[in-house]
Amino acid sequence: MSGKTIKYAGKDIPLLFSVDVCVAGGGPSGTAAAVSAGRNGARTVLIERGVALGGLAVLGCVYPFMDTHAPDSDTPYVTEVKDRLRRHGIEPFDGVTRQTWHNPETLTLIYDEMCEESGVEILYQTVLVDTIRSDHRITAAVVQTIAGLAAIQAKTFIDATGDAYLARSAGVPHERGYEKTGNNQPLSFRFEMGGIDVERLYRHVAVELDEDWCKSKPPYFEIAEAMHRKQRYKLEALMAKGVETGEITQEEAEYMQAYTIIGKNGVMSMNCPELPVRFSATDPVSYSKAVSFGRKMMHHIASYLIRHLPGFEHAFISREAAMLGARESWRIRGKYYLVEDDYHSQSRFHDAVCRTAWFIDAHGEKVSEKLPQGGFYEIPYRSLVTNEIENLIVAGRCISASFILQASMRIQPTCMSIGEAAGIAAAWGITHKFEANEVRWEDIPATDRSYVSVEA
């Protein structure tokens, strides 16, 4: 505590920190931004509303990290996270796919270590409430801490909330949902199940049912079915039978997926239930109803699998996510607005901060074909900054992009790379006396950038 106060809503609230960089949101993008800013000499504070860094990868049970499908897409931060997993005894590579099989508890420990080594101050159980503006700058973030309201002053702010909350509170133009329907992508309420006989499950699915789409083998094993997708899965028959008998609903049977968790023997991360699209990621009442509805779906699915899926006979729900899985909510309108044509045209940018080729994966709306082998598009720094607020950078899934394009760039490795670039740009701008929205990523020395465009 600095001992100073600032005026907010007619009262004096304590000023917790006055720093170079304040990052809101400790998910994959925010943690990367904070670590990168700290490593580049910026005094940095990271605000996290929970008690663990990692966002959906840790608190939301979103596992594993999907592969970008783009060649050489791992930026230095992503590579380091994988290396640190190995040093902690978690091998992220299954030998077949390019997914990153992490371990939630190990991952959040790694993030703590990286922040400590980078000099980042973490504020846990701290919720962003509001921003204080002066002309075209944010002067302070107002937060709710365990002690009450407080303020954080910074030269540059990074919005990694996933919901563009910091940007929205500062008056940045934004949008939400699909432009044609207004719907968000469906929410999910993921959970973990323990007590699973993975070898028995593997024999049943891979041998007895002759399901061959999952190329990896235990301890790296995945099961799935998705009735709304073109690809057909052998487990669809099991889930369809549950609908016929009335044990589960069609909504519960529509989508089921599960992955073994490395380092947690007999435990699988359940990528389900996927909640009906009538529940909104941007309406607080609807979101809250989704939690209760999703929990019922979770228990129905778990009970059905225990009764009918070989290997699950002695299984149980061991953990439920501490947050719903929001694939998309709000997105800013920045200096550059990424659209679907950028995906299909494989756009390149001089100020690109990363590359990806993850397919357009808009649950409930559109799932596109993958780009050709070796193809990719780039994400420009201009999609992270706005004309309205000079000292703001937005990182993660809520950057400036259309609903359809966002469905491709939203996966966690891409969000990490975006956050890494945001932290570097914030620190570089402060050192060289440029506002964040005036920084030209391509003018930062190539040796200091996390990514250099193929067009640069």
Side-chain angles (χ1 to χ4, degrees):
M1 298 282 284
S2 68
K4 298 179 181 179
T5 62
I6 67 169
K7 287 285 186 183
Y8 175 72
K11 64 176 71 173
D12 292 322
I13 62 174
L15 179 63
L16 278 182
F17 291 101
S18 182
V19 295
D20 294 322
V21 177
C22 175
V23 181
S29 191
T31 303
V35 169
S36 296
R39 287 177 173 175
N40 282 275
R43 189 179 177 216
T44 304
V45 168
L46 175 58
I47 301 167
E48 168 51 43
R49 66 180 180 179
V51 294
L53 299 179
L56 286 171
V58 175
L59 300 173
C61 298
V62 176
Y63 172 96
F65 300 153
M66 294 294 101
D67 170 33
T68 68
H69 298 314
D72 303 317
S73 63
D74 282 1
T75 51
Y77 178 89
V78 177
T79 298
E80 180 180 349
V81 169
K82 293 179 180 180
D83 288 342
R84 285 181 178 252
L85 283 167
R86 291 187 178 96
R87 294 204 295 270
H88 280 271
I90 304 297
E91 173 52 57
F93 181 47
D94 59 27
V96 182
T97 74
R98 291 173 58 192
Q99 298 176 136
T100 301
W101 301 71
H102 64 275
N103 175 287
E105 290 74 22
T106 302
L107 185 65
T108 196
L109 173 63
I110 288 170
Y111 287 158
D112 273 353
E113 292 171 349
M114 295 175 78
C115 284
E116 182 178 5
E117 293 166 10
S118 305
V120 174
E121 190 81 49
I122 306 170
L123 283 175
Y124 285 120
Q125 293 285 66
T126 299
V127 179
L128 178 65
V129 173
D130 203 354
T131 54
I132 299 174
R133 276 183 55 178
S134 177
D135 296 325
H136 297 287
R137 291 179 56 80
I138 300 170
T139 58
V142 178
V143 296
Q144 176 71 33
T145 73
I146 59 169
L149 288 179
I152 300 169
Q153 292 179 335
K155 296 174 183 175
T156 298
F157 289 86
I158 298 177
D159 184 340
T161 61
D163 297 319
Y165 184 75
L166 192 151
R168 290 188 288 121
S169 68
V172 170
H174 56 275
E175 57 191 29
R176 59 181 178 177
Y178 191 22
E179 296 84 357
K180 294 182 179 179
T181 65
N183 292 333
N184 295 120
Q185 283 202 54
L187 295 157
S188 62
F189 196 169
R190 299 187 68 156
F191 63 107
E192 293 178 7
M193 293 188 72
I196 299 168
D197 185 338
V198 174
E199 290 296 334
R200 176 68 187 100
L201 175 67
Y202 174 77
R203 289 197 306 273
H204 174 69
V205 175
V207 180
E208 295 166 12
L209 296 183
D210 194 28
E211 182 72 274
D212 63 354
W213 65 268
C214 179
K215 304 303 181 184
S216 58
K217 298 180 179 180
Y220 304 90
F221 187 57
E222 172 189 359
I223 60 172
E225 62 86 19
M227 295 182 179
H228 57 283
R229 296 283 174 96
K230 290 181 180 179
Q231 181 173 343
R232 300 273 63 88
Y233 300 86
K234 298 292 180 66
L235 286 177
E236 285 180 28
L238 172 71
M239 303 304 281
K241 184 177 181 181
V243 177
E244 293 176 5
T245 61
E247 294 173 88
I248 52 176
T249 66
Q250 181 62 45
E251 290 174 336
E252 291 160 351
E254 192 71 24
Y255 185 78
M256 187 276 293
Q257 189 176 31
Y259 298 86
T260 55
I261 302 178
I262 305 306
K264 299 174 80 169
N265 295 337
V267 179
M268 297 188 79
S269 179
M270 311 297 294
N271 183 18
C272 53
E274 183 169 283
L275 280 72
V277 73
R278 65 178 179 272
F279 294 108
S280 171
T282 57
D283 180 287
V285 175
S286 180
Y287 183 99
S288 299
K289 291 182 183 298
V291 172
S292 298
F293 190 86
R295 184 170 287 118
K296 292 178 183 177
M297 293 179 74
M298 177 196 307
H299 281 266
H300 291 163
I301 292 169
S303 296
Y304 182 72
L305 295 178
I306 291 167
R307 289 194 298 270
H308 298 290
L309 183 58
F312 274 73
E313 293 88 346
H314 303 291
F316 53 90
I317 294 176
S318 56
R319 178 191 175 206
E320 65 174 44
M323 59 194 300
L324 294 185
R327 296 175 171 88
E328 170 273 337
S329 55
W330 288 272
R331 310 176 306 280
I332 66 161
R333 275 279 191 165
K335 287 192 170 187
Y336 187 90
Y337 185 69
L338 286 159
V339 295
E340 183 176 358
D341 187 59
D342 287 308
Y343 172 88
H344 294 294
S345 299
Q346 299 184 47
S347 294
R348 309 288 199 264
F349 303 95
H350 289 292
D351 63 339
V353 298
C354 64
R355 65 174 64 171
T356 186
W358 181 252
F359 62 97
I360 292 172
D361 189 17
H363 290 229
E365 297 290 355
K366 182 176 183 178
V367 177
S368 77
E369 298 299 323
K370 295 179 181 178
L371 291 176
Q373 183 80 21
F376 62 89
Y377 67 96
E378 295 181 324
I379 295 174
Y381 179 75
R382 285 165 292 153
S383 291
L384 283 60
V385 292
T386 73
N387 292 310
E388 292 77 16
I389 302 296
E390 298 170 347
N391 64 334
L392 172 68
I393 305 175
V394 177
R397 71 171 189 245
C398 53
I399 64 170
S400 181
S402 69
F403 175 88
I404 293 296
L405 190 283
Q406 189 270 355
S408 165
M409 55 69 51
R410 65 184 173 83
I411 64 169
Q412 293 182 82
T414 304
C415 288
M416 288 181 188
S417 295
I418 293 171
E420 179 180 11
I424 292 170
W428 193 88
I430 291 168
T431 299
H432 294 83
K433 303 189 184 310
F434 285 102
E435 294 290 3
N437 72 345
E438 294 177 343
V439 169
R440 287 169 51 87
W441 177 259
E442 62 270 36
D443 288 346
I444 300 174
T447 53
D448 296 335
R449 279 179 273 168
S450 50
Y451 179 83
V452 177
S453 172
V454 294
E455 296 294 305

